[in-house]
Amino acid sequence: MATVPPRFAVSAAAPWLVLLLAVAALSFSVPVAEAAELVELTLLANAREKGAVCLDGSPPGYHLQRGFGSGEHSWIVNLEGGAWCNTTEDCSDRRLTDLGSSKFMKAIEFEGILSNERSQNPYFYNWNKVDIRYCDGGSFAGVADGKDRNGTKLFFRGLRIWEAVVDELMGKGLATAKQVLLSGCSSGGLAALLHCDDFRSRFPQEVPVKCLSDAGFFLDVKDLSGVRFMRSIFSGVVHLQNVGKVLPKDCIAQKDPTECFFPAQLIKGISTPTFIRNSGYDSYQVGNIVMPGGSDPGLSWSSCKADIRNCTSIQIEAMNGFRKKFVDDLIVARYKRDWGLFIDSCFNHCQTPFRISWHSRISLRLGNKTIAEAVADWYFGGGHGVKEIDCEYPCINPTCSSQLDL
């Protein structure tokens, strides 16, 4: 099964979602902002000597935009998303893209949580901001080697990339940070959970260090045909890339390592304050878990996938069953005082990397707050968690339709 989708985990199993995202990206009726400044790529120094390389053996990279003014000593470190490769064939294909090789990486624009525009990112705009590029296909977690179908070596070095890039950033000012946020979206959001406590341990206790996982809370549930799509993907990643070193020791002592790769298990052991932003009807998971194409040969779910208002009562029941499982899996986070939740009911996936959904006049809202406002209230709120969970269908949040759900 191919798992080399475009960034933010849009799978080849869900071409309808690719179209939705393309339309959403072009259709917002909002004033066009000035083009954001391109942030150049920095390749990791001495990557080969450190064993920290992309799938194809090229050095990994990151984009660093320096903070200024009151944000000079504050840092956001963001982990890029882009699904996973769980087989040798998938990883072989992936190494021919920017999700597996720095040879294809270019300068990028920082938007949303990484923007340096105050109107778009009022609480973090002048912080030092880093986007760590994702080129290992294993949520920055693996330590192994393999060979592709032609015998060429594949490097599963996500954990070493994580460690080496953070070490290099520490030498560029991160070590003296006064406040820090580790973030990530989709597979990067999962990576933020995997590395949250390790990241916290690198700083003095008096430095506020927190983690943000956007659209990274993946569920271990069956689709309509009884197949556990995410478990099949995660099992391949866990065993092919040898991710055991980052999994909670108390979990793997009692459960299969694949189960321990799921956020429902990860959050039980995370002690660092963490904010989880997700949709209860996550579009990637709905398209690949609740109603993937292969489980719907008669295409009876097509119109429901396109618009929730077209779903039958039976289909709504299935969607709400998924949401209930999602909310139930979050019970640990709900009772952690210094954690935050922003669980909307919009049909979306990643939201923090985009200016429209992060903070704009047409952003989705919970508790009358944009995602940016909720994250800021949680981060700067003296330890009090912001916990917002949207209602389930047929209750509809009116702010969902206002921004076409990225």
Side-chain angles (χ1 to χ4, degrees):
M1 180 183 296
T3 57
V4 190
R7 212 166 320 285
F8 308 133
V10 180
S11 159
W16 57 274
L17 185 54
V18 177
L19 177 61
L20 175 64
L21 287 171
V23 172
L26 296 172
S27 303
F28 296 113
S29 57
V30 296
V32 178
E34 292 184 12
E37 178 185 353
L38 284 175
V39 183
E40 294 299 328
L41 177 70
T42 299
L43 295 178
L44 177 70
N46 303 314
R48 282 191 172 274
E49 292 85 341
K50 298 170 183 175
V53 293
C54 298
L55 286 170
D56 70 335
S58 61
Y62 59 89
H63 305 264
L64 169 61
Q65 188 176 64
R66 290 292 185 178
F68 55 93
S70 62
E72 184 179 0
H73 298 291
S74 301
W75 287 70
I76 290 179
V77 177
N78 185 70
L79 296 170
E80 187 181 54
W84 308 268
C85 61
N86 64 319
T87 67
T88 296
E89 291 73 23
D90 289 347
C91 295
S92 297
D93 292 337
R94 191 180 181 100
R95 69 185 178 84
L96 301 177
T97 73
D98 65 344
L99 288 170
S101 171
S102 61
K103 296 175 183 177
F104 304 96
M105 295 179 187
K106 299 178 181 179
I108 62 173
E109 294 181 354
F110 277 5
E111 291 189 53
I113 194 173
L114 296 178
S115 173
N116 66 352
E117 294 183 20
R118 191 168 190 169
S119 61
Q120 180 184 156
N121 189 21
Y123 308 102
F124 306 100
Y125 72 98
N126 62 349
W127 286 30
N128 294 278
K129 295 177 288 290
V130 183
D131 187 58
I132 302 179
R133 299 299 294 268
Y134 181 40
C135 66
D136 64 281
S139 283
F140 297 91
V143 184
D145 292 330
K147 290 186 178 180
D148 74 4
R149 53 196 160 214
N150 298 316
T152 301
K153 191 172 183 178
L154 289 170
F155 299 88
F156 304 120
R157 304 289 181 81
L159 179 57
R160 292 184 183 175
I161 291 172
W162 157 256
E163 293 172 340
V165 171
V166 172
D167 284 347
E168 184 162 298
L169 293 172
M170 295 295 272
K172 293 187 174 185
L174 181 59
T176 58
K178 302 301 183 185
Q179 50 190 355
V180 189
L181 177 63
L182 174 67
S183 66
C185 153
S186 194
S187 52
L190 174 61
L193 296 176
L194 287 166
H195 296 300
C196 184
D197 279 349
D198 169 68
F199 192 63
R200 156 76 270 184
S201 70
R202 293 169 177 262
F203 301 90
Q205 196 58 41
E206 64 271 16
V207 175
V209 180
K210 301 185 180 185
C211 304
L212 166 61
S213 174
D214 177 20
F217 204 98
F218 297 92
L219 301 190
D220 182 18
V221 295
K222 295 179 181 178
D223 67 19
L224 298 171
S225 64
V227 174
R228 292 181 180 269
F229 175 81
M230 289 309 306
R231 179 172 289 196
S232 67
I233 297 299
F234 281 5
S235 178
V237 173
V238 166
H239 294 97
L240 179 68
Q241 300 211 25
N242 184 30
V243 307
K245 289 185 178 180
V246 303
L247 300 179
K249 291 183 174 55
D250 56 344
C251 182
I252 59 177
Q254 305 174 46
K255 302 176 183 295
D256 183 278
T258 299
E259 187 173 350
C260 300
F261 200 58
F262 281 93
Q265 295 299 325
L266 293 174
I267 64 173
K268 293 178 181 179
I270 297 174
S271 58
T272 304
T274 299
F275 191 98
I276 296 175
R277 201 307 306 176
N278 234 98
S279 169
Y281 303 93
D282 180 276
S283 55
Y284 173 75
Q285 296 190 66
V286 166
N288 288 287
I289 298 176
V290 181
M291 41 179 149
S295 68
D296 183 28
L299 301 180
S300 60
W301 284 84
S302 297
S303 60
C304 178
K305 287 180 180 181
D307 189 334
I308 189 68
R309 292 169 294 186
N310 296 331
C311 295
T312 67
S313 59
I314 293 177
Q315 291 168 336
I316 290 290
E317 184 178 353
M319 297 269 276
N320 285 338
F322 174 83
R323 177 192 176 277
K324 182 181 185 304
K325 170 66 170 151
F326 183 85
V327 173
D328 288 347
D329 279 358
L330 283 172
I331 191 166
V332 174
R334 293 170 70 184
Y335 289 103
K336 290 189 177 185
R337 181 175 178 272
D338 53 1
W339 282 43
L341 298 174
F342 191 102
I343 312 302
D344 62 78
S345 290
C346 306
F347 193 55
N348 62 42
H349 193 48
C350 290
Q351 297 285 277
T352 58
F354 307 110
R355 66 183 182 90
I356 296 296
S357 49
W358 173 243
H359 185 74
S360 75
R361 64 179 177 83
I362 61 170
S363 294
L364 68 89
R365 284 169 167 78
L366 287 181
N368 202 32
K369 292 183 175 70
T370 64
I371 298 170
E373 290 167 341
V375 169
D377 284 354
W378 160 76
Y379 191 94
F380 302 110
H384 297 284
V386 175
K387 295 183 171 69
E388 296 285 352
I389 299 180
D390 213 348
C391 57
E392 69 173 26
Y393 292 121
C395 168
I396 297 178
N397 182 333
T399 65
C400 287
S401 59
S402 67
Q403 44 101 49
L404 293 180
D405 308 330
L406 282 170

